[in-house]
Amino acid sequence: MNTTAALALSLPGTSGMWDFGDYPYALEPLTLPPPGVAWLPEEPPADDLRAACSALRDLAAAGDLGVAPAGEDELERLFWFRWITGHHISSLLWRLLAAALDRLGSPAADQAELSRVIPRYVRAYSAMLIYTGSSTQAIYNATIRPSMYRIHSTFSGTWSADFPAVRSLFRGRRVPPVTTAERAALTSEIELCHRIHLDVAAKLVTNGRSLLQHLVDNPAAHQPRVWSALFDHYFLTSRAPVSAHEVLSQLLRRCKAVAIDIASNGLYPAAAAYESSTPADPAAWAELTGDQELIDIVLGAAGLATGLIRP
Ligand code: HEM
């Protein structure tokens, strides 16, 4: 493996400086195990993962994560970074959720703990929807949307190879067998997540909400395989038998970059010209859109994934 590829699979550095890609808001490719390959985090995850996550959380708590805020001329790069990297973290969260759902019901697993972890990953994905979709309408419609259209005229989130494993969870068809104590929390996180997806779509695309409401019920059954390959290529994702350590290292690298971005620019950067000076967030988002809340949710998910936090 060449040095660049190895770096992208390794733990982030221990300083609060930007160290993702070659410069602030640059990208890195994501390598995931093929979708059919069961992926289970190591039990317990390695000490160096926990240590890196703990160091990152300490940097965030001390206010030591930061770069110069993005200027107007950097906004397109910033929102492109959010679009791609936010989708990467979403895919990683879907894999973590799928692994947690697989372990629910296994006698060897701590059911109560898993049941508390699952709603928190769902919440982290909701936060990622908000972050990923925080672009101005103008940049979304001039840059992001056409880039998908150029790949395919019906490019769609349903093409993700990692989503089918969690689709029935997110469509709320059947609540997984979490403990009774967590059932209501999970149901309400799933509803919130759906609401947020609708609201993000509505904020960015004129008829986005109704497009999403008319989602075909079971697209996976008749999708050509080339669609998931197109989705992977667009989102700089390749498939290889990477280890659980490498998957979690890639998660930590991205969580650090996102935390630095939010700490430096806020969810809504000052230089961005939104339709209204501060975008009006739907009330349902209230608990997720404070900059500190977002950083806590993202780094909290990293803490759960690396075993640093046991809820
Ligand atoms: C912000 C990051 C976003 C992520 C991670 C994301 C992810 C997804 C996923 C996984 C699906 C498949 C759902 C399923 O099969 O049940 C989906 C579907 C869909 N999403 Fe999003 N989405 C995002 C933003 C948006 C935006 C901005 C719009 C604007 C219109 C949108 C509109 C749709 C629509 C219309 C569908 C239905 C499938 C289709 O016909 O294309 N999404 N999205």
Side-chain angles (χ1 to χ4, degrees):
M1 187 177 294
N2 67 39
T3 328
T4 322
L7 180 70
L9 297 174
S10 64
L11 289 168
T14 49
S15 83
M17 314 273 289
W18 183 277
D19 53 9
F20 185 81
D22 287 339
Y23 44 77
Y25 322 124
L27 302 175
E28 289 190 359
L30 175 69
T31 310
L32 285 177
V37 174
W39 170 73
L40 289 177
E42 283 160 36
E43 269 297 316
D47 288 346
D48 61 342
L49 281 165
R50 281 202 305 280
C53 188
S54 171
L56 177 53
R57 291 165 59 90
D58 289 347
L59 286 168
D64 285 342
L65 292 174
V67 284
E72 208 181 322
D73 57 339
E74 291 174 298
L75 288 177
E76 187 180 287
R77 178 151 49 88
L78 173 69
F79 289 128
W80 183 250
F81 163 81
R82 290 184 178 187
W83 185 249
I84 301 295
T85 307
H87 270 87
H88 285 174
I89 297 182
S90 300
S91 298
L92 287 159
L93 289 167
W94 297 334
R95 294 297 289 241
L96 285 162
L97 268 169
L101 291 172
D102 272 354
R103 288 167 62 218
L104 260 188
S106 140
D110 180 337
Q111 301 302 312
E113 187 174 306
L114 273 177
S115 300
R116 288 191 292 272
V117 165
I118 290 171
R120 291 188 60 179
Y121 283 150
V122 173
R123 172 161 285 227
Y125 172 48
S126 293
M128 273 304 109
L129 280 168
I130 294 172
Y131 173 80
T132 309
S134 57
S135 170
T136 60
Q137 261 195 355
I139 291 178
Y140 183 79
N141 286 298
T143 301
I144 298 176
R145 209 166 181 217
S147 70
M148 291 183 281
Y149 190 84
R150 276 198 293 274
I151 300 285
H152 195 290
S153 61
T154 64
F155 192 93
S156 158
T158 61
W159 297 3
S160 162
D162 301 303
F163 190 71
V166 289
R167 180 176 281 128
S168 101
L169 171 75
F170 282 106
R171 294 232 179 135
R173 290 205 181 109
R174 189 175 61 86
V175 185
V178 291
T179 54
T180 316
E182 293 302 320
R183 219 182 135 84
L186 179 57
T187 307
S188 103
E189 288 297 339
I190 295 286
E191 281 168 11
L192 176 64
C193 186
H194 183 60
R195 238 341 270 286
I196 288 176
H197 194 178
L198 287 171
D199 289 339
V200 167
K203 268 186 137 177
L204 290 175
V205 181
T206 308
N207 57 347
R209 177 186 296 267
S210 73
L211 281 174
L212 186 51
Q213 276 163 334
H214 293 102
L215 175 65
V216 219
D217 201 40
N218 185 14
H222 49 82
Q223 290 198 85
R225 289 185 74 119
V226 68
W227 287 358
S228 60
L230 283 178
F231 188 92
D232 275 356
H233 280 82
Y234 174 83
F235 282 113
L236 303 181
T237 301
S238 54
R239 303 284 167 174
V242 278
S243 66
H245 192 282
E246 289 167 327
V247 173
L248 293 178
S249 297
Q250 293 179 91
L251 175 69
L252 282 181
R253 296 180 75 75
R254 283 161 179 76
C255 289
K256 177 176 177 185
V258 166
I260 294 181
D261 166 18
I262 301 173
S264 314
N265 296 301
L267 177 62
Y268 301 117
Y274 288 97
E275 301 283 280
S276 54
S277 56
T278 308
D281 282 328
W285 300 14
E287 289 167 42
L288 288 88
T289 36
D291 295 336
Q292 197 50 53
E293 282 85 349
L294 270 178
I295 294 175
D296 288 348
I297 293 170
V298 171
L299 298 187
L304 293 171
T306 56
L308 177 70
I309 301 174
R310 308 203 69 142

Coordinates of all heavy atoms in Angstrom, one line a residue, residues 3 57 76 83 91 94 118 133 151 160 163 183 187 207 238 240 251 255 271 282 287:
T3 N 2.1 5.3 0.6 CA 2.1 6.1 1.8 C 0.8 6.9 2.0 O 0.3 7.0 3.1 CB 3.3 7.0 1.9 OG1 4.3 6.4 1.2 CG2 3.7 7.4 3.2
R57 N -11.2 14.6 22.3 CA -12.3 15.2 23.1 C -11.7 16.2 24.1 O -12.3 17.2 24.3 CB -13.1 14.1 23.8 CG -13.9 13.2 22.9 CD -14.4 11.9 23.5 NE -15.2 12.2 24.7 CZ -16.5 12.4 24.7 NH1 -17.2 12.3 23.6 NH2 -17.2 12.6 25.8
E76 N -17.3 27.5 -1.2 CA -17.7 26.4 -2.1 C -16.9 25.2 -1.7 O -17.4 24.1 -1.6 CB -17.4 26.7 -3.6 CG -17.9 25.6 -4.5 CD -17.7 25.9 -5.9 OE1 -18.4 26.8 -6.5 OE2 -16.8 25.3 -6.5
W83 N -20.3 18.2 2.2 CA -21.2 17.2 1.5 C -20.5 15.8 1.4 O -21.2 14.8 1.7 CB -21.4 17.8 0.1 CG -22.4 17.0 -0.7 CD1 -22.1 16.3 -1.8 CD2 -23.8 16.8 -0.5 NE1 -23.3 15.7 -2.3 CE2 -24.3 16.0 -1.5 CE3 -24.7 17.3 0.5 CZ2 -25.7 15.6 -1.6 CZ3 -26.0 17.0 0.4 CH2 -26.5 16.1 -0.6
S91 N -22.2 7.1 6.2 CA -22.0 5.7 5.9 C -21.4 4.9 7.0 O -21.7 3.8 7.3 CB -21.1 5.6 4.6 OG -21.7 6.2 3.5
W94 N -24.0 4.2 9.5 CA -24.9 3.1 9.1 C -24.2 1.8 9.4 O -24.9 0.8 9.8 CB -25.2 3.2 7.6 CG -26.0 4.5 7.3 CD1 -26.8 5.2 8.1 CD2 -26.0 5.1 6.0 NE1 -27.3 6.3 7.4 CE2 -26.9 6.3 6.1 CE3 -25.4 4.9 4.8 CZ2 -27.1 7.1 5.1 CZ3 -25.7 5.8 3.7 CH2 -26.5 6.9 3.9
I118 N -27.7 2.4 20.2 CA -28.4 2.5 18.9 C -29.1 3.9 18.8 O -28.8 4.6 17.8 CB -29.3 1.3 18.7 CG1 -28.4 0.1 18.5 CG2 -30.3 1.5 17.5 CD1 -29.2 -1.2 18.5
G133 N -26.0 19.1 5.0 CA -27.0 19.9 4.2 C -26.9 21.3 4.7 O -27.9 22.1 4.5
I151 N -23.2 12.8 -12.9 CA -22.9 11.4 -12.8 C -24.1 10.6 -13.3 O -23.9 9.6 -14.0 CB -22.7 11.0 -11.3 CG1 -21.5 11.8 -10.8 CG2 -22.5 9.5 -11.1 CD1 -20.1 11.4 -11.2
S160 N -26.9 4.0 -2.1 CA -25.8 3.7 -1.2 C -25.8 2.2 -0.9 O -26.9 1.7 -0.5 CB -26.0 4.5 0.1 OG -25.2 3.9 1.1
F163 N -26.6 1.5 3.0 CA -27.9 1.9 3.6 C -28.9 0.7 3.7 O -29.6 0.7 4.8 CB -28.5 3.1 2.8 CG -29.7 3.7 3.6 CD1 -29.5 4.4 4.7 CD2 -31.0 3.5 3.1 CE1 -30.6 4.9 5.4 CE2 -32.1 4.0 3.8 CZ -31.9 4.7 4.9
R183 N -37.0 1.7 24.0 CA -37.9 1.6 22.9 C -38.4 3.0 22.4 O -38.4 3.4 21.3 CB -39.1 0.7 23.2 CG -39.5 -0.2 22.1 CD -40.6 -1.1 22.5 NE -41.6 -1.1 21.4 CZ -41.5 -1.9 20.3 NH1 -40.6 -2.8 20.2 NH2 -42.4 -1.8 19.4
T187 N -37.7 5.1 19.0 CA -38.8 5.5 18.1 C -38.7 7.0 17.8 O -38.8 7.5 16.7 CB -40.1 5.1 18.6 OG1 -40.0 3.7 18.9 CG2 -41.3 5.3 17.7
N207 N -38.8 21.8 -4.3 CA -39.8 20.8 -4.0 C -39.2 19.6 -3.3 O -39.7 18.4 -3.5 CB -40.6 20.4 -5.2 CG -39.7 19.9 -6.3 OD1 -38.5 20.0 -6.2 ND2 -40.2 19.2 -7.3
S238 N -13.9 3.6 -1.8 CA -13.5 2.3 -2.4 C -13.8 1.2 -1.4 O -13.9 1.4 -0.2 CB -12.1 2.3 -2.9 OG -11.3 2.7 -1.9
A240 N -12.5 -2.5 0.1 CA -11.4 -3.4 0.3 C -11.6 -4.0 1.7 O -12.3 -3.4 2.5 CB -10.1 -2.6 0.2
L251 N -13.0 7.0 10.8 CA -14.0 7.8 11.4 C -13.4 8.9 12.3 O -13.9 10.0 12.2 CB -14.9 6.8 12.3 CG -16.0 7.5 13.2 CD1 -17.1 8.0 12.3 CD2 -16.5 6.5 14.2
C255 N -14.1 12.8 12.2 CA -14.8 13.5 13.3 C -13.9 14.7 13.7 O -14.4 15.8 14.1 CB -15.0 12.5 14.5 SG -16.3 11.3 14.1
A271 N -19.4 34.1 6.7 CA -19.2 34.6 5.3 C -20.3 34.1 4.4 O -20.4 34.6 3.2 CB -17.9 34.2 4.8
P282 N -35.9 24.6 11.7 CA -37.2 24.1 12.2 C -37.0 23.8 13.7 O -35.9 23.4 14.1 CB -37.4 22.8 11.4 CG -36.6 23.0 10.1 CD -35.4 23.9 10.5
E287 N -32.3 20.9 19.5 CA -31.3 20.2 20.4 C -30.0 19.9 19.6 O -29.0 19.5 20.2 CB -31.8 18.9 21.0 CG -32.9 19.1 22.0 CD -33.5 17.7 22.2 OE1 -32.8 16.7 22.3 OE2 -34.8 17.7 22.3

